[in-house]
Amino acid sequence: MTELSRIRNFSIVAHIDHGKSTLADRLIQFCGAVELRDMQEQMLDSMDIERERGITIKAQTVRLDYKAKDGTDYVLNLMDTPGHVDFAYEVSRSLAACEGSILVVDASQGVEAQTLANVYQALDVGHEIVPVLNKVDLPAADTERVKKQIEDTIGLDASDAVPISAKTGLNIDLVLEALVKRLPAPTGDAGAPLKALLVDAWYDLYLGVVLLVRIKDGKLAKGMKIRMMNGGSTHEVERVGVFKPKLTDFPALGPGEIGFVTAGIKAVADVAIGDTITEDRRRASEPLAGFKPSLPVVWCGLFPVDPAQFEHLRESLGKLRLNDASFVYEPESSAALGFGFRCGFLGLLHLEIVQERLSREFDLDLIATAPSVVYKVHLTDGSVLDMHNPADMPDAVRIDHIEEPRIKATILVPDEHLGAILKLCQDRRGIQQNLTYVGSRAMVVYDLPLNEVVFDFYDRLKSVSRGYASFDYQMSEYREDELVRLSILVNAEPVDALAIIVHRTQAESRGRALCVKLKELIPRQMFVIPIQAAIGGKIVARETISALRKDVLSKCYGGDVSRKRKLLDKQKEGKKRMRQFGQVEIPQSAFLAALKARDD
């Protein structure tokens, strides 16, 4: 076991694309944790989807051995964290396992919205922060301006911020020296009963459930019988080790160390992220604080295309939930789509990633319903109903009022794009709360309804600001507003999956936009298909898909007109019958495109 004074646990926090994963690569390379021939970009991003998109989704850890300039040997446990707002829960869990953070700021772009959010999270858990200015080799880099920005907006002393280039490896040695000199060593008692925080877990086909743990007190060794303090299950430890970054077996882990444990855990239900692990015979008196449960922001239904895959979907969701604690699900059924699950996510990117992982890792073919947020429906009898799905909305006569979730959004944007951003927020029913300047950039704080943000707000924000605006948000409260359910009827049949909750003032324009979009996307049939948008019994918009017409007269060469008339009348009768029994197939692409339809 390593001496406590020579361990440093730290995470890397930053805005998206400011160079966290590249800096992690350089630190791994400098410490010689990986042979040069095995080195690759985004070393810690193990999922294909992370490499393809160039983003970090899962926080990853690696143990580095570093010999300082004064000759002391140190053990560095590095946790690379995601930067996107949808994966903030990954960041919060990683921060809880560390004592300090490297704050990476782009020397050309400066402080962004997510920089603020992540650094405040780190300060909240009492971290020591080492500011690092990345990309100083770029022509647009301005280190003095960015140092001043860090001091003005975050309130951190940036006079000794380390100027680096993670791409070229410039000054990486200075970052490592700053880490061992400025970050505190962990605390803990090796003689006390075992107390370890369960930071993360994932399912491995060969090893079963693998646990990522941070030891606070005591030691964890192979052959020990451990107990989950909250879950109550007991297991015998089979393997203990660390990530270098490959799994490397160790005889034992002591206080302050971060590593993995396998204990032949087969049931996914036995593991809860944030639980405390202790020794079964010599138990700790009380568990560690753990993590606050994450609250899903967006809900959507996931249904297997083939109903026979329902059980496979249930198992797959269980395994994915183990690896992604911010994702929740519960069974539901739909008249149109059969049996499936109602799933909760932290945002639309999170939803997209989970869907992609289910199809790639578990070979599932899924249909997703329209994403929606949770509304609080106050009924006339005084009870309150949490409504995840617009299709579950009670009868209008039973509803007293509906409350929707509101968020506090922080947007940083260059001055020339400020007008477009303010107009976008006003159009989305936003209430401006604050407007301040950080150098030449404006920082706007808006109170916005969450359902206006979850669909395409981020895309619109980037397009109206030419990619220069950055955005972060946190939940604030539920507030009453004039909300109605907009139902979509195709061929007089309501389509549950396309029902949405909208503000009464926008119902007509949203209904018209949806009908126009669906008219383009639904293939024509042999009969006329009306597409209608309705609020209760009132139709607010309608489009009609005209019928395909087979040329029944192609075999008629001249002859009497009555013969042609007879064939056309026969066709008309046939179409009437088809119309009567006509079931309209709506393609999956129509569902997805309909969600993005807005009357902007």
Side-chain angles (χ1 to χ4, degrees), residues 186-239:
T187 55
D189 178 3
L194 170 67
K195 205 186 258 189
L197 179 66
L198 177 48
V199 182
D200 201 357
W202 56 95
Y203 191 84
D204 186 285
L205 278 174
Y206 304 103
L207 304 171
V209 177
V210 183
L211 311 177
L212 175 67
V213 295
R214 156 71 203 267
I215 315 290
K216 298 282 186 183
D217 291 321
K219 70 170 194 168
L220 184 62
K222 189 177 174 180
M224 200 183 228
K225 196 167 186 189
I226 55 169
R227 168 179 284 270
M228 304 286 177
M229 287 188 82
N230 293 333
S233 59
T234 58
H235 309 277
E236 191 170 320
V237 177
E238 292 172 355
R239 278 179 76 182

Side-chain angles (χ1 to χ4, degrees), residues 372-373 375 404-407 428-429 448-456 483 501-503 506 510 598:
S372 69
V373 299
Y375 297 92
E404 65 177 342
R406 308 281 299 194
I407 58 167
R428 299 293 166 97
R429 300 191 285 126
L448 282 158
L450 181 62
N451 71 340
E452 296 284 345
V453 172
V454 294
F455 288 108
D456 58 348
L483 300 162
I501 303 286
V502 290
H503 196 266
Q506 296 177 340
R510 284 295 296 277
R598 261 194 187 279

Side-chain angles (χ1 to χ4, degrees), residues 148-161:
K148 190 172 184 315
Q149 247 186 32
I150 292 172
E151 287 173 357
D152 292 350
T153 42
I154 304 171
L156 275 179
D157 177 19
S159 56
D160 51 1

Side-chain angles (χ1 to χ4, degrees), residues 448-511:
L448 282 158
L450 181 62
N451 71 340
E452 296 284 345
V453 172
V454 294
F455 288 108
D456 58 348
F457 182 80
Y458 192 69
D459 298 343
R460 298 281 306 150
L461 182 86
K462 287 291 181 191
S463 64
V464 299
S465 67
R466 297 196 185 148
Y468 285 109
S470 65
F471 164 70
D472 180 57
Y473 67 84
Q474 62 209 63
M475 297 292 292
S476 57
E477 60 171 352
Y478 272 83
R479 199 179 311 147
E480 184 186 342
D481 216 327
E482 238 193 312
L483 300 162
V484 292
R485 181 176 74 176
L486 185 71
S487 308
I488 299 294
L489 297 100
V490 176
N491 201 18
E493 290 287 325
V495 182
D496 283 356
L498 289 175
I500 50 171
I501 303 286
V502 290
H503 196 266
R504 191 176 285 279
T505 56
Q506 296 177 340
E508 202 175 315
S509 59
R510 284 295 296 277

Side-chain angles (χ1 to χ4, degrees), residues 583-597:
Q583 287 289 319
V584 183
E585 288 279 319
I586 303 174
Q588 174 71 354
S589 57
F591 283 105
L592 297 174
L595 306 182
K596 294 180 178 169

Side-chain angles (χ1 to χ4, degrees), residues 318-332:
K319 288 173 185 172
L320 196 64
R321 166 89 176 88
L322 177 71
N323 185 226
D324 186 349
S326 55
F327 159 66
V328 295
Y329 65 94
E330 58 198 36
E332 79 160 354

